[in-house]
Each structure stands twice: as structure tokens, then as C-alpha cells.
């Protein structure tokens, strides 16, 4: 099951052979914290979307989801090598080349996101932003029923993209002979020494995790009410819920 990588041509692509290969650090800590936090928030928000009783939890996860997307956009500009958007902006020709390599069972190896995965990442970020905007408008009772329907449609589309993404991860893991799920946990993938990142930014990753958990505490305790916009119609209800005797 071991796989080695030939010397990488321009663009970071490599072809695979069957000799042993080294593992190098590719994903920094903030990227990994973001990935799993976003997955948890989306799953939780989806499961609570139809429950009036769990509406408060749904809104909390929605706010967290929004904050994570803002962080990822910023980290995509200033983060480490493979976290930056510039590292996975592929042309249609590069995408076609990658798909052909999969069909030929000689997949190109990309230390970071491959062209197919890159499409899923950008799609989820774009859909996520639309979910946040439409969800906030619904929460503020803006736009009427059509906006609520839009929110549900976009969320369903996001769910479909997530399933396609998961299927792609499974297929890529089998064809590349490396566990891509584990890579997003450990941060390491197969690659040449020159492919590895120098810093993992543990402090930034820890700060992101603390920010998420801190916001959850502030929201559930009512401390966040002072700086979060409240829906006019439900303001009194929220106040009673957070300050119930």
C-alpha cells in the first residue's frame, strides 16, 4: 500500500509509483480546525433546521458557520502554502488532465487540493456564504417566504455538494493509496520533502478553536445578546429564555 512520488513538475503535480514514499506536513492546524468545525456546524444546523424547539441551537451554529467562512476567506489569502486559494486555482485544462489521469488509473498527485477537490471547496464556500446571508435575513424576518425557500434550496444544494465531496475523497483515497480523511486529521500526506510546509500555526489554530467554543458559551449563556443582532419580534422571547428564573 506504500506509494512514492516522482519528482514534481511545474504546478506541484507528481505521478505515482509503487516504492515507499515519505509523508510531509501539508495542512496547517487552522485549516484542519476550520474543516472539522465547519463540517460539525453544517451537520448540526441541518439536523436542527426543522425543529422549533432547537431553533436557538440552529441559529448559534449558523453564526458559527458564518464566522468560520470569514476566517477561511482570510486564511485563504494569508495562510500557509496549501491553504491559500492561489495554490488550488486550476484551469479547465488542468482539471481535464486530472480527470483523464483518474480514468487512466494513473492519477496525478497534488500535495494540496487536487483540481476536482478545489471545485468542491470553492462551491461549498460560495454556497455557505449564500446560506449565511439568506439565513440571517430569514432570522430577521426579511424577504418573506421566498427567501426562506431559497435558504432551504441552497442548504440542500450544499448537502449534495458535501456528499459528492465525500465520494470524491473516498475515490481519491483508493486511487492515490492514501487516506485523505486521516490527512485532514494529522495534516500529513505523501510527498517530497520540498512539498512540506514549514509552520503549522498551532497558536492560530488553537485561537480559532477557543473562539468557536467561547462563542458557543457566550451564546448559550446570553452574554452574546449584547452584541449580536436580535430579531425584533423575538427579542423578548430570547431575553426570557436566557434569563429564566
Amino acid at each position: 500500500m506504500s506509494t512514492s512520488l516522482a519528482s514534481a513538475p511545474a504546478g506541484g503535480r507528481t505521478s505515482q509509483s509503487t516504492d515507499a514514499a515519505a509523508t510531509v506536513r501539508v495542512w496547517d492546524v487552522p485549516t484542519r480546525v476550520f474543516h472539522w468545525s465547519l463540517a460539525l456546524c453544517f451537520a448540526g444546523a441541518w439536523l436542527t433546521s426543522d425543529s422549533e424547539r432547537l431553533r436557538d441551537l440552529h441559529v448559534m451554529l449558523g453564526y458559527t458557520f458564518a464566522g468560520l467562512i470569514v476566517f477561511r476567506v482570510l486564511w485563504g489569502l494569508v495562510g500557509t502554502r496549501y491553504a491559500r486559494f492561489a495554490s488550488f486555482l486550476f484551469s479547465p485544462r488542468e482539471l481535464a488532465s486530472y480527470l483523464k489521469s483518474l480514468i487512466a488509473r494513473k492519477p496525478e498527485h497534488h500535495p494540496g487540493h487536487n483540481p476536482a477537490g478545489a471545485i468542491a471547496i470553492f462551491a461549498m464556500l460560495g454556497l455557505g456564504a449564500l446560506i449565511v446571508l439568506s439565513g440571517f435575513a430569514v432570522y430577521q424576518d426579511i424577504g418573506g417566504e421566498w427567501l426562506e425557500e431559497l435558504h432551504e434550496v441552497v442548504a440542500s444544494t450544499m448537502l449534495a455538494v458535501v456528499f459528492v465531496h465525500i465520494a470524491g475523497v473516498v475515490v481519491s483515497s483508493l486511487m492515490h493509496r492514501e487516506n485523505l480523511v486521516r490527512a485532514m486529521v494529522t495534516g500529513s500526506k505523501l510527498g517530497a520533502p520540498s512539498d512540506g510546509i514549514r509552520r503549522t500555526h498551532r497558536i492560530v489554530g488553537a485561537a480559532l478553536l477557543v473562539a468557536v467554543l467561547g462563542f458557543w458559551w457566550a451564546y448559550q449563556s446570553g452574554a452574546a445578546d449584547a452584541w449580536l443582532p436580535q430579531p425584533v419580534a423575538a427579542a423578548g422571547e430570547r431575553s426570557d429564555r436566557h434569563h429564566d428564573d
Side-chain angles (χ1 to χ4, degrees), residues 25 28-30 32-33 199-208:
R25 189 59 53 85
D28 57 49
V29 176
R32 285 179 274 157
V33 172
R199 300 178 60 191
T200 58
H201 293 282
R202 291 186 179 91
I203 294 178
V204 178
L208 177 61

Side-chain angles (χ1 to χ4, degrees), residues 8-240:
R13 296 188 300 272
T14 60
S15 58
Q16 295 184 310
S17 66
T18 57
D19 300 326
T23 57
V24 295
R25 189 59 53 85
V26 169
W27 303 122
D28 57 49
V29 176
T31 299
R32 285 179 274 157
V33 172
F34 160 81
H35 179 276
W36 296 113
S37 298
L38 192 78
L40 176 63
C41 285
F42 180 73
W46 177 269
L47 293 174
T48 58
S49 60
D50 292 328
S51 173
E52 187 65 28
R53 183 173 61 86
L54 298 176
R55 181 172 182 264
D56 200 45
L57 178 59
H58 180 79
V59 173
M60 183 192 75
L61 292 173
Y63 274 124
T64 310
F65 189 82
L68 287 168
I69 289 179
V70 171
F71 170 82
R72 186 63 183 92
V73 170
L74 295 175
W75 198 242
L77 300 175
V78 302
T80 53
R81 181 177 176 183
Y82 301 109
R84 294 186 182 184
F85 297 134
S87 72
F88 52 99
L89 284 173
F90 297 100
S91 67
R93 180 175 297 180
E94 288 174 311
L95 173 61
S97 175
Y98 177 74
L99 294 177
K100 288 179 182 178
S101 74
L102 292 180
I103 295 173
R105 295 183 177 275
K106 296 180 180 179
E108 299 171 352
H109 185 273
H110 294 259
H113 293 298
N114 60 54
I119 292 177
I121 300 303
F122 285 121
M124 285 189 284
L125 287 176
L127 290 169
L130 191 53
I131 288 172
V132 167
L133 293 174
S134 59
F136 181 77
V138 171
Y139 185 54
Q140 295 295 322
D141 199 21
I142 300 173
E145 187 175 343
W146 74 269
L147 201 54
E148 184 173 355
E149 292 178 356
L150 174 64
H151 182 67
E152 294 176 356
V153 168
V154 177
S156 297
T157 304
M158 175 86 161
L159 182 64
V161 172
V162 167
F163 280 132
V164 171
H165 176 61
I166 292 173
V169 167
V170 173
V171 171
S172 294
S173 294
L174 293 173
M175 297 199 70
H176 288 285
R177 297 181 181 178
E178 60 178 341
N179 190 325
L180 297 183
V181 175
R182 183 173 61 193
M184 191 52 75
V185 174
T186 65
S188 298
K189 291 181 65 178
L190 296 174
S194 59
D195 291 332
I197 58 177
R198 294 182 180 180
R199 300 178 60 191
T200 58
H201 293 282
R202 291 186 179 91
I203 294 178
V204 178
L208 177 61
L209 181 58
V210 168
V212 169
L213 297 178
F215 172 73
W216 288 353
W217 172 84
Y219 190 90
Q220 291 299 324
S221 67
D225 288 355
W227 44 274
L228 283 178
Q230 303 295 315
V232 175
E237 178 187 342
R238 285 183 54 82
S239 178
D240 291 342

